[in-house]
Amino acid sequence: MASRAGSTGIDASLYRREGQWCTALVDVSLGTTAAQEAVDALPGVVGKLLASQQASEADIAALAEALVPAQGHASPVARFVAVNNGEVVLDELIDGLKVEAADVDCGPFPNLVALARARGGQFPYLVAEASKDGGEVRLYHSSVQGVGESRGVTGDPEEAHHARKVPGRYDEPKNRSNTEEIWRRNADELAKQIDELARENYVRLIVLAGDIKARELVASKLGSAHKPITSILEQHTRTGGADQAAFAAAVQGQVDEVLGRDVEELSKRVANRTGNDRPDLALGFDEVVAALQQAQADTVLVGQYQDDETLMALDADPWLCGEDSEEHSESVIGSWPAPEVLLRATALTDATIRYVPEGVLPEGVGIAALLRWPNAAEPAT
């Protein structure tokens, strides 16, 4: 499966694949008889819509097979599926998104806007729970339900607690030293697992909980690059009576803090560049299109959806142009709604796209871009 849309946008390799694409965004919520009946009917409904857009039989069959209900997910939940040449390339559940009617699209490149909006700004993070006889570390993504990867460290409980079984022996310096050495060894192994997962997945947050002594040991052994992004929760979660709901809420609070800081930072970056002299900020639709054409846009910020605009998609650099442009006519592959073409150009120029809340962009501005290099100064008159 191709990589998900994240804070850096959609995987550009998706747009480089040849052949026809078919995408579908559908509601797969359960919970009522009517909802179950609606999900059961999806393959037929979507199949007819695909056929009306001249989708191939292979694409219709592959996409219809992927339209299964979201067992274990709270309503509402949507499923986004993208098929290329009869192969399911993306199959994602989007929690919290209510889809009123199936949204189906076929064309020479995938329409990934719905997925990008749902996933934009997501980041990977780790949750580690430590105990004296081992621990576990799990990889998550901030807007994806479920564990991405899990690793555990299991020490020998008998070895670790042997001295406690002999009355009066644990207090002896030798036995106490041996037991503490076992705890340190387990903590060292768990810290190595955390560092490895964090490094491989570019995580932005590590949440550490568990036995107080064990989590202190683990925290002290983490690599210097990961200590600043580690948050310690004062919860011993590896016990039978642990409140898992409270723990999950505390972890989500840490995730929300990171997301909030992201939006605040973007808002500050825009505010610092807004004014008469803003050589490294593009404001408005036309300026953003021009910046993308030059691969100058570093981060595209979308406050309003730009649904009322259309753009021409090109099969080579600069990847897009305006409807009235007479340039690049040999590269034009067609005209589409601006959100689709903008997202494609953003990915193909290795830029970031973020769908931001109200207040980040100046009043009356629906789209902007932070630039990789400043615009040339206007010549003096």
Side-chain angles (χ1 to χ4, degrees):
M1 180 177 291
S3 62
R4 295 186 177 94
S7 60
T8 54
I10 294 287
D11 184 351
S13 68
L14 297 176
Y15 292 109
R16 299 185 188 278
R17 293 176 63 130
E18 297 181 353
Q20 179 169 275
W21 282 87
C22 295
T23 60
L25 178 69
V26 298
D27 182 53
V28 288
S29 304
L30 295 177
T32 66
T33 301
Q36 180 68 64
E37 291 175 349
V39 173
D40 291 342
L42 277 176
V45 171
V46 171
K48 289 180 180 179
L49 291 171
L50 291 171
S52 71
Q53 298 186 40
Q54 289 74 54
S56 69
E57 291 185 4
D59 286 346
I60 294 174
L63 206 153
E65 187 176 353
L67 299 179
V68 297
Q71 300 286 354
H73 289 249
S75 298
V77 57
R79 185 179 293 278
F80 179 88
V81 181
V83 171
N84 175 237
N85 296 328
E87 175 191 356
V88 175
V89 180
L90 286 172
D91 183 0
E92 299 272 357
L93 288 174
I94 305 174
D95 292 289
L97 178 62
K98 177 62 176 176
V99 177
E100 297 296 339
D103 185 0
V104 176
D105 199 6
C106 294
F109 63 87
N111 178 5
L112 305 177
V113 174
L115 185 61
R117 292 196 76 190
R119 299 290 187 240
Q122 78 159 22
F123 64 90
Y125 67 96
L126 299 180
V127 175
E129 299 176 71
S131 62
K132 292 173 181 175
D133 58 358
E136 183 181 16
V137 55
R138 299 183 297 277
L139 172 68
Y140 295 90
H141 290 265
S142 58
S143 60
V144 180
Q145 183 170 307
V147 180
E149 185 176 345
S150 179
R151 298 182 187 179
V153 174
T154 305
D156 185 345
E158 292 299 319
E159 178 187 34
H161 299 288
H162 175 72
R164 292 185 183 276
K165 295 184 176 183
V166 182
R169 291 286 300 279
Y170 176 69
D171 291 333
E172 294 180 10
K174 180 179 179 180
N175 286 286
R176 186 168 63 250
S177 176
N178 288 342
T179 302
E180 290 176 351
E181 175 58 31
I182 294 167
W183 294 346
R184 283 191 292 270
R185 192 169 65 216
N186 291 335
D188 186 60
E189 179 60 28
L190 184 58
K192 287 180 180 177
Q193 296 283 6
I194 294 171
D195 280 334
E196 186 174 300
L197 267 177
R199 184 172 56 253
E200 291 174 354
N201 294 279
Y202 302 97
V203 305
R204 297 184 53 205
L205 171 69
I206 298 169
V207 179
L208 180 59
D211 174 85
I212 183 170
K213 180 65 175 178
R215 67 182 183 237
E216 288 176 352
L217 282 171
V218 171
S220 69
K221 294 175 180 293
L222 290 176
S224 58
H226 300 140
K227 287 182 179 179
I229 63 172
T230 298
S231 177
I232 298 179
L233 295 184
E234 303 296 327
Q235 296 187 35
H236 190 351
T237 52
R238 294 178 67 82
T239 61
D243 188 339
Q244 295 300 323
F247 177 56
V251 171
Q252 187 60 49
Q254 297 294 319
V255 171
D256 291 343
E257 282 190 21
V258 175
L259 292 169
R261 287 197 299 268
D262 278 355
V263 172
E264 183 179 0
E265 176 61 24
L266 287 172
S267 185
K268 287 181 179 177
R269 290 175 67 187
V270 171
N272 290 339
R273 290 164 170 79
T274 302
N276 294 328
D277 181 21
R278 51 174 181 84
D280 49 2
L281 176 68
L283 285 180
F285 187 80
D286 292 340
E287 290 188 17
V288 171
V289 169
L292 284 169
Q293 287 179 317
Q294 301 172 70
Q296 188 183 9
D298 178 63
T299 305
V300 176
L301 306 174
V302 182
Q304 297 171 3
Y305 214 23
Q306 311 301 311
D307 278 331
D308 55 344
E309 300 280 359
T310 57
L311 287 167
M312 304 292 286
L314 310 179
D315 63 7
D317 182 76
W319 305 114
L320 79 169
C321 66
E323 288 277 14
D324 299 328
S325 175
E326 297 181 359
E327 299 179 350
H328 314 292
S329 58
E330 73 286 353
S331 299
V332 171
I333 57 177
S335 175
W336 281 272
E340 300 173 38
V341 182
L342 287 168
L343 178 60
R344 176 175 178 266
T346 300
L348 288 169
T349 55
D350 296 322
T352 297
I353 193 163
R354 293 294 302 273
Y355 299 88
V356 296
E358 185 178 352
V360 173
L361 301 182
E363 186 175 354
V365 176
I367 188 169
L370 300 166
L371 304 181
R372 291 183 169 126
W373 63 85
N375 291 314
E378 292 290 336
T381 56

